[in-house]
Amino acid sequence: MTSTESASTHNGGVAPALLIGGVFLLTTVANFLFNAASAVWDLQEDFGAGGYSRAEQLPVIAGVGILGLAVALVLGNMFTGEKAPRGAIVLGALSILTLPAFFSGAPAAFGTVAAVRAGLAKGGQPVTGAARGFGIAGIVVAVLVIVAVFGGNIAGIVENAAV
């Protein structure tokens, strides 16, 4: 590898598959498990979005989360090579637009794939400009969704324990 090649490829960081899979586990899977445990142990009877119980929310969390991951991966595979900067922008924008469905982890999936397309993962080709900004925004969205999932669920458990 020449010095020019090493300068144009980002070798540090986390492998793309580990980044995307880890974020999926920390968002969709974690929220599903938190809600499943709460439903099993009846931790919060009055909790629910739109009046739905935690048990009734499980298929929505799983379905929207898996669909978000699948769409993000398909789009990520469509935007490779020279199209990667456009992919970072599209996926980063989708991570922001899907924030109302944060509970599913879908915005985090779009965000992490945007970061991969922006070259922010191990072995990636770093991009510049708006594409880099959307890649960074995607990682920020992913981190915020992780915090929201864990913070919200732990706060609910603590609140229920105080009752």
Side-chain angles (χ1 to χ4, degrees):
M1 180 181 291
T2 67
S3 62
T4 307
E5 289 173 334
S6 64
S8 66
T9 301
H10 179 66
N11 290 323
V14 180
L18 183 60
L19 180 65
I20 296 166
V23 167
F24 181 74
L25 288 173
L26 290 172
T27 56
T28 303
V29 174
N31 201 28
F32 184 88
L33 294 175
F34 272 121
N35 280 279
S38 293
V40 168
W41 288 302
D42 237 1
L43 293 179
Q44 290 179 322
E45 294 174 18
D46 61 344
F47 180 87
Y52 294 105
S53 71
R54 290 206 183 239
E56 293 169 326
Q57 292 180 54
L58 292 176
V60 176
I61 293 168
V64 175
I66 292 168
L67 179 64
L69 177 64
V71 170
L73 291 173
V74 167
L75 288 174
N77 283 332
M78 288 174 52
F79 291 105
T80 58
E82 292 180 9
K83 297 178 187 176
R86 278 185 271 162
I89 293 170
V90 168
L91 289 157
L94 284 172
S95 74
I96 295 166
L97 292 173
T98 57
L99 273 173
F102 75 92
F103 59 88
S104 69
F110 288 120
T112 53
V113 178
V116 168
R117 286 296 151 241
L120 301 176
K122 186 174 186 173
Q125 293 282 341
V127 297
T128 59
R132 184 168 183 83
F134 275 100
I136 292 169
I139 282 294
V140 170
V141 165
V143 169
L144 291 175
V145 171
I146 292 168
V147 169
V149 165
F150 279 87
N153 284 303
I154 291 171
I157 292 168
V158 169
E159 176 187 350
N160 188 62
V163 175

